Amino acid sequence: MSDPTTVTVTHSPQEQCFEAIVDGQRCAADYQRQGHVIRMTHTHVPPALEGRGIAGQVVKAALSWAQAEKLKVDPQCSYVAAYMRRHPEWQHLLA
């Protein structure tokens, strides 16, 4: 992995996603909110941007928001599930 790229992640509640625009390309983590649970459904980083730690930053922003809102997380996306396994500090959010 090359040096991580620091990105600015924005939350779009209307579109139910967290996203960052890097080198003009959209990186995103999509979710569906149901009551007090957010189902993380998909994470996408364009192939040209992979390996720069961008997906992790987008997912971390989503998890931080879920924690602040006192929500639980259902990691349907394999990347989010793996991220939560690798970072035990987020496991208390598991639905």
Side-chain angles (χ1 to χ4, degrees):
M1 180 166 146
S2 60
D3 291 335
T5 300
T6 301
V7 300
T8 299
V9 179
T10 57
H11 180 203
S12 178
Q14 317 84 304
E15 296 177 27
Q16 297 191 91
C17 72
F18 286 82
E19 65 183 2
I21 304 300
V22 181
D23 297 342
Q25 298 186 71
R26 182 178 183 268
C27 308
D30 300 325
Y31 69 89
Q32 297 171 347
R33 183 171 178 170
Q34 297 177 318
H36 294 287
V37 176
I38 62 167
R39 178 175 291 133
M40 299 295 299
T41 57
H42 183 69
T43 304
H44 173 74
V45 172
L49 300 175
E50 289 177 359
R52 293 167 55 178
I54 298 166
Q57 291 176 72
V58 174
V59 168
K60 182 177 180 182
L63 296 176
S64 295
W65 171 77
Q67 181 170 269
E69 295 291 315
K70 296 181 174 34
L71 302 172
K72 291 295 186 180
V73 176
D74 178 6
Q76 297 287 308
C77 167
S78 60
Y79 181 85
V80 176
Y83 183 92
M84 292 181 82
R85 275 195 305 275
R86 286 194 315 268
H87 298 275
E89 66 271 22
W90 297 111
Q91 290 183 3
H92 68 282
L93 294 178
L94 286 169

